[in-house]
Amino acid sequence: MFIMLIWGLVVAVWAGRSLAVGCPQPPAPLSFPLADTQVNPRVPGSLMRGIPVRIGTPPQNLVMLPWPDLNNTYIYDDQTACNTKLIDNDEICRVRRGGYYYETESTSFTKTTDVIDAGGAPVEIDTLGSESGIPKLVSSSLAGTDRFAAGDKEPVTIPVGIPRLQWDGGFTISHALGLGPNSTYLNALVAARQIPSRVWSIFWGRMWMGSADMDGAIVLGGYDKEKVIGENFTAQLDYSENMGCWTGMRVIIVDVIANFPHGADVSIMSGNLPVRSCIVPQRQLLWEVPVDIATELRKKAGLVSSSPSMSITAFHALATMLNTTASDSVFDGDLTFVLSSGLRIRVPNNQFIVPRIGYAEDGSRVVDQSQKDLLVYSVTNQQPSTLGRYFLTAAYLMINHEAGTFTMWQGNPSRKSTLVPVSQTSEQCSPESSGDGLGTTDNHTTDDGESGGSSGNNGGQNEPESDPTTETSVSIGTIVGAAVGGAAGLACIVALVMFCLWKRRRQRGPETGGFLPDDGPVAYIDNTGPKEIGSLPPMATELVAEDLRPELNGDFRGYELHGSGPYGGVLNRGGY
Ligand SMILES: *[C@@H]1O[C@H](CO)[C@@H](O)[C@H](O)[C@H]1NC(C)=O
Ligand SMILES: *[C@@H]1O[C@H](CO)[C@@H](O)[C@H](O)[C@H]1NC(C)=O
Ligand SMILES: *[C@@H]1O[C@H](CO)[C@@H](O)[C@H](O)[C@H]1NC(C)=O
Ligand SMILES: *[C@@H]1O[C@H](CO)[C@@H](O)[C@H](O)[C@H]1NC(C)=O
Ligand SMILES: *[C@@H]1O[C@H](CO)[C@@H](O)[C@H](O)[C@H]1NC(C)=O
């Protein structure tokens, strides 16, 4: 009798299991810290912020940044030097890259002909504004496969590209964890049933506040609902050239408000068109923005740039260096970004006016509290505007490659974590067992009602293709613009060229080579990489040649554009 009962139970359990075979329990999301991590075991201060990972056998520790616009993962060994104009020495290079990978010391590294042969994604993005070396990465990198794990999770074997060229701008040079639409890492985790879907989320954390600093976090397969506030904004990922956003995440900023501590809220975009910005989490600043808005921001906030006004060697390269003695006090209010969707993101003052960060010879981080940098870089109207990592100190971002959407919330800087899985839209299982049922798979998850499975279906919130406000303003602008267009356009090009020029570092002697793929003269450098004079528009090249050539030997870092409307400006030296 007793044995019969046991048998009955066994059969019942077996039957229950086999019924569920068509639809196994989906795995829970994974979460990794985005933290300041010591890179060189011998130098305590050799810190880089990123995701601590392990690669190879025996495991080697590295620190990586997530890249939404790369499909493959690219990890440096010690063979491709840093740009010596931007990075002082090899120790600093090693720290800023997040350590070196020694593939020859890994018994699990299997070399292949190239990245594609390793099973890597065949295509990387080629959109204007992205780092100019990206399209060459697939064909030029040393490649293979190796065991790889973020945090302390179970390793998966993934294709790895080991760059053999300086493919980036030289500023965001950490190892790149490719989390693009055909991400080999996300694909491998889904295949290994470590995560439920090709969805990932990011909160950058808070930095430069000493003991009040807070780690950020990356969630794979869902998001962290403790770190979001209120309604979300969801739009399609759109990588197309005419969107002008290589991460697929373009937003329209209709206003930015300086929130003075004593209550006054002042728009810094008065009279300006909305700004289309691309969200690029790996970029080192808060905002790359058209020069007239950057100027208005400084003017209204009472910020004075120092002379020279920016550095390309500081950790926050291209940030505006402030002259803290030129005014009684430095602006201590916040900045609120108002998006066309109505979402408002208030970035706290200490996440965009920060101490100057550098590196000592041994690669340890140096925080100079006596100097302040404004994490805003002025671009010309032709260059794309970006919202960088410091935007994600105040906003929470989720990228859903299953649904082809991205979702943003106001961030909540909480140390707590409640992971919510987001399911694949094309679930193989029966409807009863998919969707919100996922919520029960993770003991971190509490409220099923907020499970994000439906995020792919809310097309109603998608950003309109073209903003009506913009179109109206443009047509008014065209009338005015026609009158002054010619002269202003010319002035603009001259100004743009001069603004963007800067001399190689003063301390350095003659160039030691290896800076540009094809040893051309460097006109200027920005986040996409160095630009040659020959790559400028023909008219600009002429102007450089005839009018600016002598100045090429001068120091251009102190030049600033003084905006007088979106299409004009005069050039002056120093602060305004
Ligand atoms: C990623 O791979 C897809 C598919 O090959 C390709 O269309 C895309 O351009 C690649 N990169 C990005 C950022 O989308
Ligand atoms: C995505 O990458 C895989 C290799 O990882 C490749 O086989 C596949 O063709 C890629 N998908 C697309 C759409 O290009
Ligand atoms: C800062 O401003 C003061 C006062 O205007 C000026 O004397 C000084 O040269 C400036 N310093 C820098 C580094 O720009
Ligand atoms: C789930 O709960 C168990 C027991 O309460 C706990 O030990 C474990 O850490 C939890 N899982 C996670 C991912 O935190
Ligand atoms: C975003 O908001 C929409 C509309 O309120 C909601 O249906 C959807 O579930 C939300 N998405 C997430 C991931 O929370």
Side-chain angles (χ1 to χ4, degrees):
M1 184 63 195
F2 183 66
I3 288 175
M4 294 275 288
L5 195 66
I6 297 282
W7 259 115
L9 273 174
V10 168
V11 168
V13 166
W14 177 81
R17 287 221 171 164
S18 38
L19 279 179
V21 151
C23 186
Q25 275 282 55
L30 299 178
S31 175
F32 311 113
L34 199 54
D36 278 339
T37 309
Q38 183 178 335
V39 173
N40 184 340
R42 290 184 307 281
V43 180
S46 61
L47 300 175
M48 265 307 285
R49 196 173 192 83
I51 309 168
V53 305
R54 291 168 301 141
I55 185 168
T57 312
Q60 302 177 25
N61 294 308
L62 302 174
V63 183
M64 301 189 77
L65 280 183
W67 278 66
D69 49 330
L70 286 174
N71 285 325
N72 294 296
T73 286
Y74 297 94
I75 299 185
Y76 294 97
D77 60 9
D78 60 352
Q79 297 296 305
T80 303
C82 280
N83 184 333
T84 54
K85 289 197 179 69
L86 311 179
I87 306 294
D88 278 325
N89 67 34
D90 289 344
E91 268 316 306
I92 299 174
C93 178
R94 171 175 165 186
V95 171
R96 290 195 52 178
R97 287 202 160 149
Y100 291 142
Y101 168 42
Y102 298 98
E103 71 275 6
T104 50
E105 286 169 24
S106 168
T107 56
S108 49
F109 176 73
T110 308
K111 186 182 173 305
T112 57
T113 315
D114 55 24
V115 170
I116 298 173
D117 187 32
V123 184
E124 298 289 9
I125 200 98
D126 191 14
T127 304
L128 189 74
S130 60
E131 282 69 6
S132 57
I134 286 180
K136 297 177 201 140
L137 278 173
V138 168
S139 58
S140 69
S141 296
L142 172 67
T145 58
D146 208 344
R147 285 161 61 78
F148 177 90
D152 52 2
K153 302 301 187 296
E154 193 57 30
V156 284
T157 297
I158 60 165
V160 177
I162 304 168
R164 282 293 175 264
L165 55 88
Q166 288 169 358
W167 57 276
D168 56 31
F171 307 129
T172 47
I173 54 174
S174 306
H175 307 294
L177 182 60
L179 297 176
N182 198 16
S183 161
T184 52
Y185 181 51
L186 292 179
N187 290 349
L189 288 178
V190 168
R193 299 192 51 74
Q194 286 197 28
I195 57 171
S197 57
R198 295 176 306 128
V199 172
W200 65 282
S201 302
I202 175 170
F203 174 64
W204 186 258
R206 300 266 167 107
M207 301 182 77
W208 319 120
M209 306 186 299
S211 58
D213 277 4
M214 180 178 286
D215 286 352
I218 300 284
V219 176
L220 304 182
Y223 69 100
D224 185 345
K225 77 172 184 180
E226 297 287 350
K227 296 195 175 61
V228 309
I229 300 175
E231 290 292 306
N232 70 70
F233 155 68
T234 298
Q236 299 294 324
L237 286 166
D238 187 342
Y239 301 87
S240 63
E241 193 79 45
N242 63 356
M243 255 318 199
C245 178
W246 54 101
T247 62
M249 301 180 280
R250 196 204 66 178
V251 293
I252 297 176
I253 301 167
V254 293
D255 200 3
V256 174
I257 295 158
N259 310 110
F260 282 85
H262 302 301
D265 285 342
V266 179
S267 167
I268 62 135
M269 281 175 60
S270 59
N272 277 298
L273 304 179
V275 176
R276 287 142 196 265
S277 278
C278 186
I279 301 173
V280 190
Q282 67 271 24
R283 287 278 164 94
Q284 71 275 20
L285 304 179
L286 169 68
W287 202 18
E288 295 181 273
V289 63
V291 63
D292 42 323
I293 295 176
T295 305
E296 189 178 345
L297 164 60
R298 289 200 307 278
K299 206 166 270 176
K300 295 224 168 121
L303 294 167
V304 181
S305 48
S306 73
S307 175
S309 67
M310 87 183 78
S311 158
I312 54 173
T313 57
F315 179 66
H316 292 120
L318 306 181
T320 308
M321 303 198 291
L322 296 175
N323 184 335
T324 51
T325 57
S327 52
D328 294 343
S329 63
V330 176
F331 175 63
D332 56 355
D334 301 341
L335 284 182
T336 299
F337 289 76
V338 184
L339 307 187
S340 60
S341 63
L343 192 66
R344 297 166 84 91
I345 304 293
R346 181 166 174 153
V347 183
N349 182 276
N350 57 20
Q351 299 303 298
F352 66 91
I353 296 179
V354 303
R356 181 137 329 135
I357 311 299
Y359 281 88
E361 295 249 301
D362 66 355
S364 51
R365 181 188 277 171
V366 177
V367 180
D368 182 355
Q369 294 285 359
S370 71
Q371 304 291 334
K372 296 285 180 206
D373 287 346
L374 170 67
L375 302 184
V376 170
Y377 172 57
S378 315
V379 297
T380 63
N381 289 305
Q382 286 72 35
Q383 288 175 295
S385 165
T386 65
L387 285 165
R389 60 181 67 162
Y390 288 93
F391 189 65
L392 300 176
T393 62
Y396 191 87
L397 176 67
M398 177 174 89
I399 291 142
N400 185 339
H401 291 308
E402 307 290 352
T405 58
F406 70 101
T407 298
M408 220 165 29
W409 293 262
Q410 207 187 116
N412 178 34
S414 166
R415 287 176 214 275
K416 280 201 197 150
S417 173
T418 302
L419 303 185
V420 178
V422 173
S423 63
Q424 301 185 28
T425 43
S426 56
E427 202 72 62
Q428 301 297 311
C429 311
S430 57
E432 294 94 315
S433 49
S434 64
D436 281 355
L438 282 173
T440 58
T441 59
D442 184 19
N443 56 353
H444 272 186
T445 305
T446 50
D447 186 0
D448 277 354
E450 288 192 41
S451 181
S454 58
S455 66
N457 303 328
N458 58 40
Q461 288 205 16
N462 290 347
E463 192 177 72
E465 259 302 299
S466 72
D467 188 298
T469 328
T470 316
E471 304 313 326
T472 319
S473 315
V474 165
S475 55
I476 296 166
T478 312
I479 301 161
V480 182
V484 293
L490 195 69
C492 177
I493 290 169
V494 177
L496 128 73
V497 170
M498 293 189 71
F499 173 69
C500 293
L501 286 176
W502 26 149
K503 192 188 104 152
R504 56 195 60 163
R505 289 191 75 192
R506 270 172 299 190
Q507 305 94 301
R508 295 204 175 274
E511 199 184 331
T512 47
F515 180 40
L516 277 174
D518 6 273
D519 299 320
V522 179
Y524 65 98
I525 184 166
D526 64 16
N527 268 311
T528 70
K531 301 285 175 296
E532 299 164 45
I533 290 171
S535 71
L536 294 170
M539 192 175 14
T541 315
E542 242 166 67
L543 289 167
V544 170
E546 288 172 13
D547 305 334
L548 306 179
R549 184 66 76 187
E551 303 287 359
L552 277 171
N553 298 318
D555 186 349
F556 278 82
R557 283 181 293 181
Y559 280 93
E560 286 280 314
L561 267 179
H562 290 235
S564 58
Y567 300 108
V570 292
L571 199 64
N572 277 317
R573 175 122 191 141
Y576 57 85

